[in-house]
Amino acid sequence: MRRSLAGAGLLVYGTALGLWAARRAAPIQPPPLRTLSEGSLAGALAALAGSALGTLVLFVPVGFLAVTAVRGGAGQLGFVRALTGEALTLAAVAFVLMGWPDRSWHLIDALAVLLAAAGGTLGVWAGAVWPRGRHARRAFVWKVAAAAAIAMAAAGGLAYAALEPYPRVASAEPITSAEKRRLYHRMRSANPRTIGEGRTKTLRLTERDLVALASWTQAIAGREWPAAVGLGAGTVTVSTALPVPGGGRFLNAMVEARPALSAGRLSLKVEALRVGRLRLPRPVLAALSPLLAAAVREDERVRPFVAATRALDIRPSALSVTYGRMDDPPEYMVVDTLGAGLAGEIDPEAVRAHVRHLVRDSQRIPPGESAGSEALRSTFTFARSRSHGGDAVLENRAGLLALGVLLGHSRLQVVVGPVVESGEWRAIGPALRRPRLRGRPDWTRHFFLSAAITALSVESVSDAAGLLKEELDADGGSGFSFAELLANRAGTCFALAATRDEGAARALQGRLVDGATLEEFFPPAAGLPEGLTDAELERDYGGVGGPGYRRLVASIESRLPWCPR
């Protein structure tokens, strides 16, 4: 009876594995690309190890059921039973692996076969031992635990050998304002949504451009590890040094890859990979190449760009990408430009409710200097009524986004969604069409836009966005303004106070309902220079990050002593 049940179980389980395999693109799944793009090498390795371990574990029941279904006894018959169970297991492994429809059978696929066979063998061993009694089972468990401990110790030793006491990559030079402007305008002009049907554009980036973009992205995201990018004849080399938390050591990594594009399909060949003092041999690189290519192809943020790409040309002088029109959701552009997490936790319906409330209430707000304060008070009074018994942080965030769209910039809807109907723009009362903050409508826009960006993401993104705007203005715009930086920073601080935690969110609601004004959160900007050209900013303040610049930024911070730190 037991053998019959085991045979039936083997048939059902093997069929289920085959159906599961048919739904997967590869035996061992690549790690999500976001773990690499976010600098989490440990996360990528953990995902890869989890996929490999899962392949092994899934086939343990196959071996167990196979050997249990075979008739046999002790001694020689027991050996024949185990051998027959192993043969059945390998047949099941072959059946399941044949289910992968897109098998290229690289070395990584051979590893999957070995892991599946090892899992089945482990199951055969367990099935042969199990009928022998409690003592044999206990010995089996200890042997498996000892083997796992040895494997983990070996992995730990390799990990320690990969760590070094110093970074091998020098920190990149700070990106200048002029360079930011140049890259900003180049990337903006390269927008694939602006390409006409049937036409293409070519974006050309030098090594310096790539390094500057990497440095800028890390600055926005608040990361501090150095990175270097090198171009060769068809190859791209990326080097980085990841600091290990609490250890004073670094994981230095270098990868050289040869990407190729054919018929809209991206392939990658890893030419070299060094992790710390360990340089991986070519057979391992051959196994990793299809995994890395699959990780890039399957990433939801990268896939639309790969599909739109027509040609890829990599030379020591520059990397050139030719691509066609791409009509994908705007989140791809916004998230990749301003950093992960910009979209945040948004409730569009709550934002719409705040927009409708403020549009209606704007009709009763009298024009004048107090209009911005009245709009702020009205929004947070509404937020308090809606969050009664609910989440005050989420409600404050929705109110800040409504204020950001209506009083900051309508293009914020690219991220938030279409929360303002066309008729509502016309219904806004005259007092909120150009409300003034300390006599300036531009300060109102800066304050509420920075507050909304902070509510969407993180403090560093909002500060970086405000700084970029000032740097763009310094090149022929309205000029660099430290006073507008104060407005940006004040809006950021206000949003942090409004969304820090439940207690802070409700305290700020109460403070505004009790009569606090907008000016209490935006101190006077007296003494802060404005209208600086790029040359004046460099000459008088040492540019962004120079001594004079840092002195005025410290002055701005001192004017905001209530700002959450």
Side-chain angles (χ1 to χ4, degrees):
M1 180 65 178
R2 184 183 64 183
R3 291 192 297 273
S4 298
L5 289 175
L10 177 61
L11 180 62
V12 172
Y13 189 78
T15 303
L17 274 183
L19 294 173
W20 167 82
R23 298 172 62 90
R24 290 164 68 91
I28 296 180
Q29 295 294 293
L33 186 62
R34 64 177 180 274
T35 58
L36 293 172
S37 64
E38 293 168 2
S40 179
L41 184 61
L45 293 177
L48 181 58
S51 180
L53 183 62
T55 301
L56 185 146
V57 171
L58 278 173
F59 284 87
V60 171
V62 174
F64 188 92
L65 293 170
V67 76
T68 304
V70 177
R71 182 189 298 275
Q76 186 66 24
L77 287 177
F79 173 75
V80 172
R81 177 187 176 213
L83 193 61
T84 305
E86 182 70 20
L88 283 174
T89 300
L90 293 178
V93 168
F95 167 75
V96 172
L97 293 180
M98 287 298 291
W100 267 285
D102 184 27
R103 54 186 185 280
S104 51
W105 300 113
H106 292 278
L107 286 180
I108 197 68
D109 303 299
L111 175 61
V113 174
L114 292 176
L115 286 170
T121 300
L122 182 61
V124 169
W125 184 16
V129 165
W130 219 250
R132 297 179 187 173
R134 183 178 300 174
H135 180 74
R137 296 172 190 171
R138 187 181 296 114
F140 167 76
V141 171
W142 279 108
K143 289 176 183 177
V144 172
I150 291 172
M152 291 178 65
L158 288 174
Y160 181 80
L163 300 180
E164 296 180 281
Y166 56 88
R168 289 180 178 266
V169 181
S171 297
E173 297 180 4
I175 181 170
T176 65
S177 299
E179 206 162 18
K180 285 182 182 179
R181 287 194 297 271
R182 180 178 61 83
L183 289 173
Y184 174 82
H185 289 302
R186 178 178 296 184
M187 301 303 292
R188 187 173 182 179
S189 66
N191 189 340
R193 289 195 197 87
T194 63
I195 303 175
E197 293 295 339
R199 296 180 177 273
T200 62
K201 279 187 178 182
T202 298
L203 174 64
R204 185 178 183 274
L205 297 170
T206 65
E207 272 190 16
R208 175 56 192 168
D209 293 336
L210 295 171
V211 171
L213 283 171
S215 175
W216 192 6
T217 302
Q218 289 182 31
I220 290 176
R223 304 183 183 120
E224 297 180 355
W225 59 77
V229 181
L231 298 176
T235 63
V236 178
T237 302
V238 180
S239 304
T240 188
L242 305 178
V244 178
R249 299 176 72 84
F250 296 85
L251 182 63
N252 294 301
M254 181 280 294
V255 60
E256 181 183 3
R258 185 181 297 276
L261 194 69
S262 177
R265 184 176 177 85
L266 179 70
S267 63
L268 283 172
K269 181 181 179 183
V270 181
E271 300 283 359
L273 177 60
R274 188 186 68 239
V275 181
R277 296 180 287 254
L278 306 176
R279 185 178 289 272
L280 274 65
R282 288 202 171 273
V284 177
L285 299 181
L288 288 177
S289 293
L291 271 182
L292 184 58
V296 174
R297 286 196 303 267
E298 297 305 317
D299 186 87
E300 61 181 9
R301 298 169 300 177
V302 176
R303 192 186 304 128
F305 294 94
V306 173
T309 301
R310 302 290 180 265
L312 179 65
D313 182 35
I314 305 174
R315 303 183 183 186
S317 57
L319 178 151
S320 299
V321 184
T322 302
Y323 51 93
R325 183 177 178 82
M326 187 190 74
D327 293 305
D328 276 283
E331 287 78 12
Y332 286 111
M333 288 294 182
V334 177
V335 172
D336 289 341
T337 301
L338 297 181
L342 180 60
E345 186 177 357
I346 303 172
D347 182 356
E349 290 303 321
V351 180
R352 288 190 188 98
H354 276 273
V355 166
R356 288 193 294 267
H357 165 78
L358 191 55
V359 169
R360 287 194 305 268
D361 212 34
S362 66
Q363 298 295 333
R364 69 153 188 87
I365 296 176
E369 192 70 21
S370 64
S373 296
E374 288 297 323
L376 191 63
R377 183 176 301 110
S378 174
T379 296
F380 276 78
T381 301
F382 187 62
R384 186 166 76 165
S385 66
R386 281 176 54 90
S387 62
H388 182 69
D391 192 326
V393 171
L394 294 181
E395 207 58 52
N396 286 0
R397 179 178 290 126
L400 288 170
L401 294 178
L403 287 165
V405 171
L406 294 175
L407 304 184
H409 204 299
S410 61
R411 288 189 64 187
L412 195 61
Q413 291 185 101
V414 170
V415 182
V416 180
V419 294
V420 185
E421 297 179 2
S422 58
E424 289 175 325
W425 288 114
R426 296 189 295 272
I428 296 175
L432 295 189
R433 295 190 183 277
R434 283 179 61 85
R436 295 175 176 270
L437 176 55
R438 295 194 180 276
R440 295 268 296 268
D442 56 330
W443 288 349
T444 305
R445 291 193 300 272
H446 279 268
F447 181 93
F448 285 113
L449 186 57
S450 292
I453 294 175
T454 303
L456 281 167
S457 54
V458 292
E459 179 181 3
S460 60
V461 174
S462 178
D463 290 343
L467 176 59
L468 174 61
K469 193 270 180 189
E470 293 311 314
E471 291 173 325
L472 291 171
D473 284 346
D475 184 36
S478 59
F480 191 101
S481 170
F482 284 98
E484 289 184 356
L485 281 187
L486 171 62
N488 293 331
R489 184 62 180 155
T492 295
C493 293
F494 179 82
L496 290 174
T499 60
R500 180 175 51 186
D501 53 49
E502 192 71 13
R506 294 194 182 279
L508 192 58
Q509 287 175 354
R511 184 178 171 186
L512 286 163
V513 170
D514 289 342
T517 64
L518 182 55
E519 284 74 12
E520 293 180 34
F521 303 99
F522 178 52
L528 295 176
E530 297 190 81
L532 299 171
T533 65
D534 197 33
E536 291 171 336
L537 184 65
E538 287 288 339
R539 183 194 65 204
D540 299 336
Y541 302 97
V544 174
Y549 174 88
R550 292 196 302 270
R551 175 177 55 80
L552 283 174
V553 167
S555 172
I556 289 172
E557 291 296 322
S558 69
R559 302 180 191 211
L560 301 165
W562 54 270
C563 183
R565 307 297 178 184

